[in-house]
Each structure stands twice: as structure tokens, then as C-alpha cells.
Amino acid sequence: MNPTDLALLDVAIEIAQSARTHGNHPFGALLADANGEILLRAENTVVTDGDCTGHAETNLMRMASHRFTAERLAQCTLYTSTEPCAMCAGAIHWGGVRRIVYALSEMDLYEIVGPSEEHLLLPCREVFARTQREIRVEGPADPLRAQARGVHAGFWGASDK
């Protein structure tokens, strides 16, 4: 990861904090072009929208697919505060984004949240390995690990570690 990647991940973590402030799960994502210009931002809206598919990355891909061509999306990078879940990885695949950069790994999140029927332990790299598209994944971002974990601190209740 380069300094631009880390700066954009920092913004994704800020978006995750915003989601938490708005009463949602602390996840945030953004889409940037090849020059690092932020094109779109999205936060988790599961609670406020009452929609289990309102994950930050899926919300972002819904917006992106309405605004940009598949060719343009293939040139973009999706930055996210936490590794995309299997559902979000599917949305990213079908949207055509070819590069994903995340701060906090799924396993780090699992350590924070603890065992849960809602948690699907399927790393995004495994989902992307089943596609015919080449999708580059970079993460976790060790320099931002503490900050990415921090947005979750105290959110998940008794099992929060």
C-alpha cells in the first residue's frame, strides 16, 4: 500500500465512525479513481434503513453502478474500513471494480465481535478467487489497524474485545 491508499483508508474509517454516530454498524467505504480522487462515499445503513443488505460496500456499489460505466468502475479502487463480507464481495464483483483495499481484516472483526450466528467467515479473497475477473485485494493495513479497530470499540456489547 502506498501513502495515498493509507490516506483514503483513513477517510473510510472516518466514514465508519459517521455510520456509528448515525446509529448504524461502524463500517464505511469509498470509491476513488486512478488518481485517488474520491468519487463516492457510503456508510452502513442496516439499522436506520431496516435493511440487512445496507452494508457500506453494497450501498457504495448500488450508487456506483447507477453513476458509472463498467469500464470506469474497472479503473477504480474501493477502499473500506473493514474487509468486505461475502455479500459485499459479490456486489463488488458484479459491479466490476477490480481493486479493493481494506484496513481491518475479517478475522480482526471476528475477534472483536466474538462468535455470532450472523458472522459469515468467508474472506473476500476466497470469494474473488471464484470469479473469472482479476480482482486485486490489498489488506489489512497494519499501520491503521489500531484506528480501524478503535471505531468498533464498545459497539458490539459484552463480547466486544
Side-chain angles (χ1 to χ4, degrees):
M1 280 181 223
N2 61 47
T4 299
D5 291 332
L6 294 174
L8 290 169
L9 281 176
D10 188 54
V11 175
I13 294 167
E14 290 172 11
I15 297 167
Q17 182 61 54
S18 176
R20 182 175 178 168
T21 300
H22 292 132
N24 289 293
H25 302 145
F27 301 100
L30 64 87
L31 187 71
D33 67 14
N35 297 317
E37 180 183 335
I38 297 173
L39 303 174
L40 295 171
R41 301 167 189 244
E43 57 187 54
N44 181 290
T45 58
V46 168
V47 176
T48 55
D49 285 354
D51 178 358
C52 65
T53 68
H55 293 194
E57 300 90 343
T58 300
N59 288 339
L60 185 73
M61 290 311 302
R62 280 188 194 111
M63 288 188 291
S65 65
H66 288 289
R67 295 186 184 166
F68 303 112
T69 65
E71 293 78 20
R72 177 95 189 264
L73 289 173
Q75 302 303 313
C76 293
T77 299
L78 189 151
Y79 292 88
T80 182
S81 61
T82 305
E83 182 176 356
C85 73
M87 175 185 70
C88 293
I92 292 164
H93 159 76
W94 283 300
V97 172
R98 301 295 176 103
R99 182 172 181 249
I100 314 306
V101 181
Y102 66 85
L104 189 70
S105 75
E106 178 183 27
M107 289 310 296
D108 279 333
L109 178 64
Y110 184 74
E111 287 175 12
I112 295 166
V113 175
S116 166
E117 289 180 355
E118 295 181 21
H119 204 98
L120 180 62
L121 291 173
L122 183 59
C124 70
R125 283 179 174 90
E126 289 185 36
V127 176
F128 296 138
R130 304 289 190 252
T131 180
Q132 300 297 309
R133 291 186 176 136
E134 183 179 329
I135 301 173
R136 236 172 80 210
V137 179
E138 296 181 40
D142 289 335
L144 296 175
R145 187 171 185 231
Q147 184 180 345
R149 286 180 70 95
V151 77
H152 294 274
F155 180 82
W156 301 101
S159 64
D160 191 340
K161 299 174 187 172

